[in-house]
Amino acid sequence: KPVVEPYLFFAGRCEAALDYYRQHLGAEIGLVMRYKDNPEPAGCPLPAHWDEKVMHASFTIGASRLMGSDGMKEQMPEDGHCMSLTLPTEAEAKRVFSALADGGNAFMPIGRTFWSPCFGMVTDRFGIHWMVTVPEQP
């Protein structure tokens, strides 16, 4: 089944946000991956000294799962979020990605990454940013 989760961008303040949400909302922090842990070069230049910044984090607040990152720049993006869509197969992910890109903008083509056999980023025709991913199979 497809799963849609909010993905939040914090412009260099993800760690502070996670601590704040833990303290005030009871957030439980799961995976935290830092830029220094990335085995592949970043797709665009990062601000200096961002090795310890959060490349990806997942956390829960109650029954809701959210994901977040410092992003790739110190300025907060206008929207500050996108939707993450997890699909069970590469064929389904490619089909959905293509549909979302129709009339939109596929700014990271769908393909293999070190964390997923199939991942891409697209803005649909309505201006909604999506990350489409297939989980790594054990």
Side-chain angles (χ1 to χ4, degrees):
K1 282 184 166 179
V3 175
V4 177
E5 298 165 318
Y7 201 105
L8 309 173
F9 297 98
F10 294 101
R13 299 182 58 209
C14 187
E15 188 105 36
L18 294 174
D19 289 342
Y20 187 86
Y21 298 154
R22 180 182 13 240
Q23 181 181 356
H24 297 287
L25 302 177
E28 293 183 20
I29 312 305
L31 173 71
V32 175
M33 184 182 298
R34 302 194 183 279
Y35 282 103
K36 70 179 182 182
D37 301 325
N38 183 354
E40 298 174 356
C44 68
L46 293 171
H49 310 294
W50 267 44
D51 286 351
E52 291 295 326
K53 293 292 186 181
V54 177
M55 185 174 100
H56 173 75
S58 64
F59 59 103
T60 57
I61 299 173
S64 299
R65 181 171 179 253
L66 299 98
M67 294 181 280
S69 170
D70 278 310
M72 298 188 85
K73 56 187 172 184
E74 293 170 318
Q75 294 81 31
M76 188 66 160
E78 283 183 29
D79 49 16
H81 70 282
C82 71
M83 302 306 289
S84 177
L85 176 59
T86 302
L87 295 158
T89 68
E90 290 184 43
E92 183 70 0
K94 289 176 180 176
R95 183 191 68 74
V96 169
F97 187 88
S98 179
L100 290 170
D102 183 23
N105 175 30
F107 55 94
M108 180 177 178
I110 197 155
R112 175 167 278 291
T113 65
F114 75 91
W115 70 87
S116 170
C118 194
F119 175 85
M121 297 174 73
V122 60
T123 301
D124 70 18
R125 66 177 63 192
F126 306 105
I128 303 300
H129 303 295
W130 293 88
M131 290 188 278
V132 177
T133 190
V134 174
E136 195 68 60
Q137 304 300 317

